[in-house]
């Protein structure tokens, strides 16, 4: 049984830098993170062990310093936070800042903003938090429910799949042929690299294992992407979730991981796959 690691997988620079910044500030004094820094329980437990608190709303923060995650937040939330007398540490990923600037430019140029993404995701709330009017779409039904606007400005949550984004932009253009539809591609490069490397790997694999938190959006997207090219795809959070019987008869097992999955978690899953190799030899 051959194990094939995707050429690009696992933690992106945005998440890695945000974790490093949190640990650095935690050493300097009490810190609260606004929302989940990453959707990965292993990382979150590590931060908790350092005494870092997590709050879902600024009014629940009990430390003098608050950190905004790599997912970013709106200027309105930042102003509200500073208004409460809190010191703000921003770990917003530079590629999320790019998306914020794209959305602000669309709104400034008179476009009705449409975000392709998950309405309740913290990044999407940050992207739309300074807008008075906007729409968020994730599937065809959402596009069919859109009202007509002479100018529609479309951008995406940075972790969406390129295929979904292209499909929905095409649908928006066909649904509103009279409208000026401007699309800005804000899906980030690490997401694109992980998705295309996952496709490349899944095409060659009999079984694919995707490592990442159950609630991680980009991990779930990777699972769906791989499932289009490989019939046997399994999502695991840690090595403990891997089952030897999944690999019965498999010659090539592909491995990939979401952008919030630490390297050591991926390595432990790979080591477990190698042990399964011994338990379930290929036929
Ligand atoms: S997924 Fe992309 S936008 Fe999000 S933190 Fe990572 S690099 Fe930045």
């Amino acid at each position: 049984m051959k194990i094939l690691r995707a050429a690009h997988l696992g933690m992106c620079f945005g998440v890695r830098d945000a974790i490093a910044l949190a640990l650095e500030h935690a050493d300097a004094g009490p810190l609260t993170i606004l929302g989940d820094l990453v959707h990965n329980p292993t990382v979150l437990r590590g931060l908790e062990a350092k005494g870092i608190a997590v709050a879902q709303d600024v009014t629940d923060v009990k430390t003098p310093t608050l950190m905004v995650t790599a997912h970013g937040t709106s200027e309105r939330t930042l102003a509200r936070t500073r208004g409460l007398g809190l010191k703000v540490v921003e770990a917003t990923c530079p590629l999320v800042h790019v998306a914020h600037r794209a959305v602000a430019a669309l709104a400034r140029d008179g476009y009705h903003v449409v975000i392709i993404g998950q309405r309740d995701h913290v990044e999407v709330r940050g992207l739309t938090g300074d807008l008075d009017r906007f729409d968020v779409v994730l599937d065809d039904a959402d596009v069919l429910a859109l009202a007509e606007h002479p100018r529609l400005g479309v951008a995406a949550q940075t972790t969406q799949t390129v295929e979904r984004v292209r499909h929905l932009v095409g649908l928006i253009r066909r649904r509103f042929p009279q409208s000026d539809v401007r699309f800005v591609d804000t899906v980030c490069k690490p997401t694109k690299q992980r998705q295309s490397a996952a496709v490349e790997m899944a095409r060659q694999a009999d079984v694919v294992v995707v490592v990442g938190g159950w609630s991680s959006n980009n991990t779930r997207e990777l699972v769906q992407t791989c499932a289009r090219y490989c019939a046997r795809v399994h999502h695991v959070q840690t090595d403990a979730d891997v089952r030897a019987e999944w690999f019965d008869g498999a010659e090539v097992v592909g491995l990939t991981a979401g952008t919030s999955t630490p390297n050591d978690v991926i390595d432990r899953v790979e080591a477990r796959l190698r042990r399964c190799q011994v338990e379930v030899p290929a036929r």
Side-chain angles (χ1 to χ4, degrees):
M1 188 169 101
K2 182 180 162 199
I3 295 166
L4 185 64
R5 266 174 98 110
H8 296 277
L9 82 174
M11 199 169 274
C12 61
F13 76 94
V15 169
R16 202 180 50 232
D17 291 355
I19 293 169
L21 196 65
L23 295 174
E24 192 186 308
H25 278 274
D27 282 340
L31 177 72
T32 302
I33 296 173
L34 186 61
D36 286 346
L37 179 58
V38 287
H39 296 120
N40 186 284
T42 312
V43 177
L44 292 176
R45 274 197 299 273
L47 297 172
E48 202 182 316
K50 285 284 255 179
I52 299 172
V54 174
Q56 297 304 330
D57 192 276
V58 289
T59 50
D60 298 327
V61 177
K62 299 192 171 48
T63 59
T65 308
L66 172 78
M67 192 176 114
V68 170
T69 68
H71 301 108
T73 193
S74 63
E75 289 300 324
R76 281 179 186 161
T77 301
L78 283 177
R80 190 168 143 237
T81 308
R82 293 193 175 110
L84 291 169
L86 295 166
K87 182 183 165 209
V88 179
V89 175
E90 269 202 80
T92 310
C93 174
L95 301 182
V96 172
H97 274 308
V98 169
H100 274 255
R101 285 198 293 273
V103 168
L106 287 170
R108 200 178 47 236
D109 293 347
Y111 288 83
H112 175 81
V113 172
V114 177
I115 302 290
I116 297 172
Q118 291 175 297
R119 188 178 307 277
D120 295 326
H121 191 281
V122 59
E123 183 193 318
V124 174
R125 281 192 270 123
L127 283 173
T128 55
D130 293 323
L131 303 173
D132 294 323
R133 280 189 306 275
F134 61 88
D135 280 295
V136 180
V137 296
L138 192 61
D139 55 28
D140 292 15
D142 293 336
V143 172
L144 295 177
L146 286 176
E148 188 162 7
H149 296 269
R151 304 179 119 198
L152 287 159
V154 186
Q157 182 180 355
T158 56
T159 50
Q160 285 296 311
T161 64
V162 174
E163 287 78 12
R164 174 183 290 132
V165 171
R166 282 202 193 117
H167 167 74
L168 292 179
V169 171
L171 194 60
I172 292 169
R173 289 207 159 108
R174 288 197 298 283
R175 176 150 155 69
F176 302 109
Q178 311 298 331
S179 303
D180 168 10
V181 178
R182 184 190 284 180
F183 165 58
V184 190
D185 182 358
T186 49
V187 176
C188 76
K189 191 174 170 191
T191 292
K192 286 176 178 161
Q193 286 175 327
R194 278 153 186 73
Q195 285 171 5
S196 54
V199 168
E200 195 58 34
M201 170 274 288
R203 279 186 207 279
Q204 304 171 58
D206 300 308
V207 182
V208 169
V209 174
V210 184
V211 194
W214 303 130
S215 60
S216 156
N217 177 55
N218 73 84
T219 305
R220 287 198 305 246
E221 297 280 9
L222 277 177
V223 171
Q224 286 172 21
T225 299
C226 292
R228 286 204 288 277
Y229 300 92
C230 177
R232 296 160 68 185
V233 180
H234 299 279
H235 177 179
V236 301
Q237 203 162 252
T238 68
D239 56 324
D241 302 321
V242 176
R243 297 279 162 267
E245 59 268 25
W246 292 344
F247 311 106
D248 192 17
E251 285 177 12
V252 180
V253 176
L255 179 65
T256 187
T259 51
S260 53
T261 314
N263 284 339
D264 58 324
V265 174
I266 304 171
D267 291 344
R268 279 199 295 276
V269 170
E270 185 172 352
R272 169 79 182 118
L273 294 180
R274 293 198 187 286
R275 288 200 299 280
C276 290
Q277 201 168 350
V278 178
E279 290 167 37
V280 184
R283 282 173 190 150

